Structures are given as C-alpha cells and as structure tokens.
Amino acid sequence: MTTGQNSTNPFASPPSIGETVKVVAGNYEIQGERILGTDKIILPHACVKCGDVLSEQDSSSRRKKDLYWVHPAIFVLVIQLLIFLIVYLATRKKCRVEYSLCRECNAKQRINIVYCVASLAVFIGMVALMISLENGWFSLGVIIAFVAMLTFAIRANGPLVVKAYKKGEFQLRGASPEFLQFAEGYTDADVVPAVVLAEDGRLA
C-alpha cells in the first residue's frame, strides 16, 4: 500500500468545521477573450462594454438576453429559406445571459437602432427606385443599404454573441478586456465560509 492518501480516502478524518470553499459568482469562466458557461450565465455588475463597475442595486443597468448558436454548416441551406428556418429552429442551442450595461454604452446601442431603421428606409427606397426607373445602378445602393442595415442590426442586438458551442458549453465573445479582467478577479476573490455536514464532503 502506498503511503500517500488523497481527499477521497474514506478512512481520512473529516474536514474541519468552518473550512472555506471558493464559490463562483455566476456560472461562468474566463478564458482569454471568451466567457465560458452553460445554458445560464450570470455575469457580475460591471458594464460588459467599458468595464465600469456598477451598483448591484441598479436594476436599470441589468439585461437578460437569450443568445442562440447553430452549426455554421446550416447556412448553406439559406438558398432554400423555408428549409433553412426549419433546420435553424430545430437545431439551435439557447443560452440565457444576465449582464450589465452602463448608461453611456446603452445610449450608443440605441443609436445603432436608429441607424438600423434609417438604413432599412434607404434600402426600401433604393429598391423602389430601381424598380420604378428600371436602372440597374440603384442595385449598388440596395447592396450598400442592406449591408449597413445588417451591420447596425448586429450592433444593436447587444455586445455579447455566441462564437462556439461544444458539449453543453457556450463560448461568448464581445466583452471588453476591462470587463474580462474584472470578471476574472471577481470569481477569484469570492470566498465564503462553509460548514461540513458529513464525511462525504457535503456542505451547507
């Protein structure tokens, strides 16, 4: 028999009462520029865009949003829109994220909504002119307006997006380096006392 013993040894003495354990403030983990978590991620009270720390009592800064991920291969079906929508709805994975956005960053996001609506109006106008005047040059304006509308729509949708999904774990991107640094330190510093109830390590 080896002399070394690990924490799972059933003959080892139970841990002492008052042992401290690390508790993660929200089901997430920071790895590089990505936030990893399961289908529910609760981020700390700091703006995900600029990293400003916000009050936990400020409910107006909190956002709850459903993010979706689908395998990129299904986009080859976009030429058959109905089939694409059916496959998209059947295979998408949902992740609910709770995060904070400061007033300044929230105002910038609202501006993107205005730009998106304006781009939509230009897009409709260009399509109408192209049809009525039968001038192919307006198709260039249609393409530019469509790209602008799509860009502003993505920005207005929020800073966080799902970049990858694997084995039940979502990988989010879009948070600022300042927020990622704060969030990583927030989880590392959150230590609370716990009481051992039994020898199997169950805690109160």
Side-chain angles (χ1 to χ4, degrees), residues 7-74:
S7 58
T8 60
N9 186 350
F11 301 103
S13 58
S16 58
I17 293 179
E19 177 186 4
T20 60
V21 295
K22 185 179 292 184
V23 176
V24 178
N27 189 17
Y28 70 91
E29 179 184 352
I30 306 297
Q31 286 190 6
E33 297 180 349
R34 299 193 176 192
I35 302 171
L36 279 59
T38 56
D39 57 352
K40 184 176 182 181
I41 302 175
I42 302 177
L43 298 175
H45 290 257
C47 179
V48 294
K49 286 292 292 180
C50 63
D52 285 352
V53 180
L54 304 172
S55 172
E56 295 187 4
Q57 284 71 40
D58 185 8
S59 59
S60 63
S61 66
R62 296 297 282 177
R63 302 287 183 273
K64 292 181 179 180
K65 191 172 184 63
D66 292 335
L67 302 179
Y68 297 94
W69 180 91
V70 292
H71 197 284
I74 77 163

Side-chain angles (χ1 to χ4, degrees), residues 70 74 84-92:
V70 292
I74 77 163
F84 169 76
L85 290 176
I86 293 174
V87 175
Y88 174 83
L89 294 174
T91 62
R92 67 179 183 175

Side-chain angles (χ1 to χ4, degrees), residues 66-133:
D66 292 335
L67 302 179
Y68 297 94
W69 180 91
V70 292
H71 197 284
I74 77 163
F75 288 99
V76 299
L77 301 174
V78 73
I79 56 176
Q80 296 290 337
L81 187 58
L82 180 59
I83 297 177
F84 169 76
L85 290 176
I86 293 174
V87 175
Y88 174 83
L89 294 174
T91 62
R92 67 179 183 175
K93 306 296 182 181
K94 184 175 77 172
C95 171
R96 166 151 287 200
V97 184
E98 184 175 334
Y99 63 94
S100 294
L101 205 62
C102 70
R103 292 184 179 179
E104 291 76 10
C105 293
N106 187 48
K108 293 178 181 178
Q109 185 171 329
R110 290 182 177 178
I111 291 175
N112 285 314
I113 298 177
V114 175
Y115 288 159
C116 179
V117 174
S119 300
L120 175 61
V122 173
F123 173 78
I124 295 174
M126 286 292 178
V127 171
L129 288 173
M130 183 178 65
I131 295 174
S132 62
L133 299 178

